[in-house]
Amino acid sequence: MSKATRMKKTIVIVGAGLGGLTAGNLLVDRGHKVTIFESHTAPGGYTAGFRRRGFYFESGTLSFESLGVFKKAMDDLGLTARLPLVRMRMRSLSPYFDILFESMAAFKDALAAAFPADRAGLDSYFREMDPLIDALRPLEPRAMPAQFTGFGKLAALIPYITAGPRLMRRLKPYKGMTVDEFAARHFTPGTPIFRLFTGLGYPRMEVATQAGMFVVVTEDYWHLKDGMQHWADLLADRFRAKGGDLRLRAPVEKIVTRDRAAAGVLSGGERFDADVVISACDYKKTFLKLLDEPALVPAAQLDKIREAPVSEGIFTVYLGLAMRNADLQALLKSHSVSYNPLDHDIDPYDPADAAHFEKTTFGLYSPSLVNPALAPEGKSSLMIQAVCPVRWQDDWHRNDRVSYLALKTKVRETLIARAEALFPGLRDAIEFEDAATPLTYERYTGNTAGATSGWSWNPERPFYEGGQFKGTVTTPVRNLLIGSCWAGQIGGIPNALAAAYRCATKIG
């Protein structure tokens, strides 16, 4: 159907994250009337960024995978040339090894040297893991078929058709198996090498997902040179230039229904009618708080939405340093560092473990080492991040402001002290510091418990049935679609972009 003959619809999108902004751009290009409502003062959602005293920091998301998905989306919107990328170069550090995680071969050699007593386990581990990695590798850099229509979609499906049967055969024995179960087949639980393999990625994620992670980290992980906020701003500017209406500081109070279908939203006490509503925000809050008639959703489905676990949140420390980028580079050796002490068993689901941040893995990332323009001249920036169990320490003392701030300060100081122990001189260089808890992320993004990537990645606790790669943009309510990373069991930027395309295709 041509643009001239396509029926123009009125679309409301809730949330100006990358999914909502991409869907908005695709839909205005098709001639629809689109309004995006965003509660925050700037677009971006979890992929926003901010400046303090001249230092730029990413709010939460530092990088993304799947160059093919990114390039297809940005080519379609004419923005690729304005979004220069930098390959992630992760330095993986522990008391046992110190490597630049650039290839699987280098990673294997480093582990063999670090853990000679576990050589047999390493050999057997990679004998099983390597075929999964090899089967996933041909699909990783490609755009998703959902991003195409017509003959283009058929062409995009060919690699999946040719590689799919082999991939499915190799993945079948591991369907639903967690990385903890897989590692226990090769290593003794409670040992450093076991803790290493069970601590890579999200807690207890599926084996197939970890195989994909190895491909991503070594071949297909990217930073935006100018920061994530620049990406969101370009999408927002383009959307407005094409006639879209982006409303910031405009939280949606209710999704309005009529005749058992979504019919608009209520924002600022004013009703805005729509033919279709796209929720590009938290799935749980969409149905448990925003929907004006929850009874439209079967009771069992509402219970499932309520009880389904979300992905873990993070704690982030933001540091502005009176230190030249050259000196910070000499310390860190890379713009991205992951440190795992490997000396404690960690229960990622234990909200009562008061010592969690004293022993967990943490990462360091410097925006200014990616791009010196992201810090004042002669200075540098650094972020320290650690994954946090959901509802940690009585949900961060959510209802006690004084206790919450004291806990936030304690965790910030703990992570700074641990970073200083690795890289002496950091603390003395600090001229600005701040921190974000999962509650901070929940406040600014709306994500339940500050979830970093939608639903839980644990295959034993799914929301969508049928595996980690399943999902849908449709919902139990007619004319209400999901246009964010919550449309898939595994979230992330590629799935948010794919959801935007699926919504646009569904609307027409």
Side-chain angles (χ1 to χ4, degrees), residues 66-337:
S66 299
L67 180 61
V69 175
F70 165 85
K71 191 173 185 303
K72 165 63 177 168
M74 295 307 104
D75 282 352
D76 286 347
L77 302 181
L79 296 177
T80 305
R82 301 175 66 185
L83 289 165
L85 304 179
V86 174
R87 269 285 307 277
M88 178 191 239
R89 294 284 189 264
M90 180 183 288
R91 180 187 179 192
S92 186
L93 184 62
S94 84
Y96 301 87
F97 56 80
D98 181 358
I99 64 169
L100 198 60
F101 205 152
E102 287 196 296
S103 72
M104 287 304 297
F107 182 57
K108 292 176 186 179
D109 289 344
L111 295 186
F115 302 103
D118 294 294
R119 185 60 184 262
L122 286 166
D123 288 344
S124 66
Y125 177 92
F126 284 111
R127 252 195 319 272
E128 283 199 86
M129 179 61 74
D130 283 346
L132 304 183
I133 294 172
D134 291 342
L136 285 165
R137 183 174 282 115
L139 301 180
E140 175 57 39
R142 298 183 180 277
M144 293 186 182
Q147 295 178 276
F148 297 86
T149 58
F151 289 112
K153 186 166 189 174
L154 290 175
L157 280 168
I158 290 174
Y160 290 85
I161 294 170
T162 56
R166 175 171 172 254
L167 175 61
M168 291 302 103
R169 284 195 304 273
R170 291 190 175 179
L171 293 183
K172 186 176 180 180
Y174 307 99
K175 183 175 175 58
M177 182 184 293
T178 68
V179 294
D180 295 55
E181 294 168 322
F182 185 73
R185 296 166 66 157
H186 308 283
F187 310 109
T188 302
T191 60
I193 190 72
F194 179 83
R195 294 178 185 133
L196 171 67
F197 282 104
T198 57
L200 296 173
Y202 277 93
R204 298 180 190 170
M205 64 186 185
E206 194 167 26
V207 175
T209 313
Q210 189 173 70
M213 181 204 70
F214 283 128
V215 178
V216 164
V217 172
T218 56
E219 301 176 19
D220 194 22
Y221 222 12
W222 305 90
H223 301 293
L224 264 296
K225 181 178 179 180
D226 297 315
M228 290 289 190
Q229 187 62 58
H230 178 63
W231 189 3
D233 289 342
L234 284 179
L235 287 168
D237 291 345
R238 184 191 186 280
F239 175 70
R240 290 188 179 109
K242 295 288 185 176
D245 183 6
L246 173 58
R247 302 190 177 207
L248 302 175
R249 300 184 183 88
V252 167
E253 289 111 35
K254 286 294 176 185
I255 294 173
V256 179
T257 59
R258 183 175 59 243
D259 298 330
R260 306 185 63 81
V265 300
L266 192 69
S267 177
E270 183 180 355
R271 175 168 171 156
F272 297 84
D273 290 332
D275 298 304
V276 180
V277 175
I278 298 175
S279 175
C281 60
D282 180 280
Y283 198 112
K284 284 178 177 276
K285 291 182 178 175
T286 297
F287 290 95
L288 302 179
K289 293 188 176 181
L290 296 183
L291 191 64
D292 67 349
E293 291 289 344
L296 293 175
V297 182
Q301 183 72 1
L302 277 179
D303 287 342
K304 184 177 182 180
I305 294 169
R306 189 177 294 108
E307 295 167 6
V310 300
S311 55
E312 288 69 26
I314 51 173
F315 187 97
T316 305
V317 179
Y318 306 102
L319 300 176
L321 303 175
M323 178 185 290
R324 296 181 310 148
N325 280 303
D327 295 331
L328 183 60
Q329 175 69 29
L331 276 180
L332 301 185
K333 311 298 185 193
S334 175
H335 57 254
S336 182
V337 180

Side-chain angles (χ1 to χ4, degrees), residues 406-429:
L407 186 59
K408 180 178 179 180
T409 299
K410 179 182 177 181
V411 175
R412 185 185 74 225
E413 289 301 312
T414 295
L415 290 176
I416 291 175
R418 293 183 70 192
E420 170 71 16
L422 288 175
F423 306 109
L426 286 179
R427 184 183 290 279
D428 289 342

Side-chain angles (χ1 to χ4, degrees), residues 294-445:
L296 293 175
V297 182
Q301 183 72 1
L302 277 179
D303 287 342
K304 184 177 182 180
I305 294 169
R306 189 177 294 108
E307 295 167 6
V310 300
S311 55
E312 288 69 26
I314 51 173
F315 187 97
T316 305
V317 179
Y318 306 102
L319 300 176
L321 303 175
M323 178 185 290
R324 296 181 310 148
N325 280 303
D327 295 331
L328 183 60
Q329 175 69 29
L331 276 180
L332 301 185
K333 311 298 185 193
S334 175
H335 57 254
S336 182
V337 180
S338 175
Y339 178 72
N340 189 338
L342 302 177
D343 58 354
H344 287 89
D345 290 325
I346 296 172
D347 183 351
Y349 302 125
D350 182 5
D353 182 2
H356 172 80
F357 287 98
E358 297 168 18
K359 59 190 180 182
T360 192
T361 298
F362 64 94
L364 302 100
Y365 172 72
S366 172
S368 65
L369 290 186
V370 171
N371 182 355
L374 300 181
E377 187 174 355
K379 300 181 180 182
S380 57
S381 57
L382 185 65
M383 299 169 60
I384 310 172
Q385 290 189 324
V387 172
C388 176
V390 175
R391 311 297 184 193
W392 185 69
Q393 291 295 281
D394 190 27
D395 201 13
W396 290 87
H397 306 309
R398 180 188 291 267
N399 298 317
D400 183 342
R401 180 71 175 168
V402 173
S403 297
Y404 165 74
L405 291 176
L407 186 59
K408 180 178 179 180
T409 299
K410 179 182 177 181
V411 175
R412 185 185 74 225
E413 289 301 312
T414 295
L415 290 176
I416 291 175
R418 293 183 70 192
E420 170 71 16
L422 288 175
F423 306 109
L426 286 179
R427 184 183 290 279
D428 289 342
I430 296 173
E431 67 172 52
F432 167 81
E433 63 180 278
D434 202 353
T437 72
L439 297 192
T440 311
Y441 289 108
E442 183 178 63
R443 183 168 73 251
Y444 284 104
T445 70

